[in-house]
Each structure stands twice: as C-alpha cells, then as structure tokens.
Amino acid sequence: MRATPLAVTALAAALLLTACSDDGGDGGESDPSQAASACTIDDVGIQVGPANAAPAAGDTGNVPVTITNRGAECVLDGFPAIDLSAGGTSSTVPVDKAAKATKQTLAKDGTTSVTITYVRGEKGGESSLAVKTLKVSLPGGADTQEFPWTYGDVALKDTASGTPDASVGPFERTGD
C-alpha cells in the first residue's frame, strides 16, 4: 500500500521539475519581442496616405502612415516622431494625449500604422503652417524618411511656439 502514495509523489515531483526552466521561467516559449531588435528606418518601407484630407480651413483630416518591415523580425516600442516642415520651419507633431504607447513585434513583411490627425489651416494665414514635407522617424531612432505633404496648410495651436494643431496616435496592427 505504501508504494502507491510514494509513486504518486515521485510522479508529481517529476512533472513539476519538467515545467521549470533554468532562467526561472515557466518552461514555455519566450516572448519573441525580447529577442528582436528595434526596427530601423533602413529596414522598413513607409507609405503615407491615402488620406482623409481636411477639405477646408477648420476641418479635421486624417493621414495614415503605414510601416512595413522589410528586414528581420523587429520591435516598435513607443511612438514615431513626426515633423511637419515648411521651408526653414519645422514643427513636431505631439502625441495624442489619450493614446497609450504600444509595443509591437513585426515579422518580415508585417505591417502596422499610425494616424496623424490635423486641423487644416487657412492658406497663408498667420496662424497656419504652410507644410511642404512630412518627416517620419521610428521610436528610438534619429534617421528620418521624408514625404511630400499635399493636404494643405496646418493650423497652429500656438503661434508663438509653432505647435501644430495635430496629433499622432499609437501603432495599430494592419493586415492579417
């Protein structure tokens, strides 16, 4: 009779030991985002638009920016830096106050997108920025890619600081 409880105890101990790993984990697969490095601007393709452009001054428009990984699996952690340039003036688009940063692992050919929301300014107006170029950089990176801005002037929240009446949202999964 004593052999049965002893065998059950030994089996339970063996099962517990096989569920453990040397690193203190649960023995399951590791989080792939820990092994992947940060995505770099040289390893991604970026597409701007098609946009839901603001038709007139005071209207709101949305410009999607889609990022496709062309290299090895990589991670996007945080928000991209978006700058709007008008000649010699450049303004950084602030992050949407309601947005929470996300961390996404992109497999090769995986895609994600962010949305730039802006208020159209009056063409040539004192409280507008005559944007010609959109600059995009990835979280943690300093390199940028530039794209033409064809969506009209952007209203300024604050003319003294040149802060645009615009915001950028978090990365959102696209595709499958």
Side-chain angles (χ1 to χ4, degrees):
M1 290 275 192
R2 285 178 100 14
T4 303
L6 189 56
V8 171
T9 302
L11 179 60
L15 290 173
L16 283 172
L17 287 174
T18 59
C20 295
S21 66
D22 292 339
D23 63 1
D26 63 1
E29 291 186 35
S30 63
D31 180 2
S33 67
Q34 291 178 350
S37 61
C39 297
T40 63
I41 205 90
D42 293 334
D43 290 331
V44 300
I46 299 177
Q47 178 184 349
V48 176
N52 174 17
D59 291 339
T60 301
N62 297 299
V63 181
V65 177
T66 304
I67 298 157
T68 304
N69 182 19
R70 300 289 181 220
E73 182 176 84
C74 64
V75 175
L76 291 168
D77 190 6
F79 292 92
I82 305 291
D83 289 332
L84 301 176
S85 297
T89 304
S90 184
S91 295
T92 299
V93 175
V95 171
D96 183 339
K97 291 177 184 177
K100 294 187 188 227
T102 60
K103 182 175 184 178
Q104 289 190 17
T105 300
L106 287 181
K108 181 172 175 52
D109 296 325
T111 60
T112 188
S113 68
V114 296
T115 300
I116 302 167
T117 301
Y118 73 100
V119 175
R120 186 154 182 178
E122 185 178 326
K123 184 174 176 86
E126 193 173 291
S127 53
S128 295
L129 185 63
V131 179
K132 301 293 181 212
T133 306
L134 168 72
K135 295 179 184 178
V136 178
S137 64
L138 300 179
D143 294 334
T144 63
Q145 282 191 20
E146 296 184 10
F147 303 89
W149 179 269
T150 59
Y151 312 112
D153 291 8
V154 176
L156 295 173
K157 277 186 185 178
D158 180 8
T159 55
S161 68
T163 303
D165 193 354
S167 63
V168 62
F171 288 109
E172 296 183 20
R173 290 245 180 245
T174 56
D176 293 335

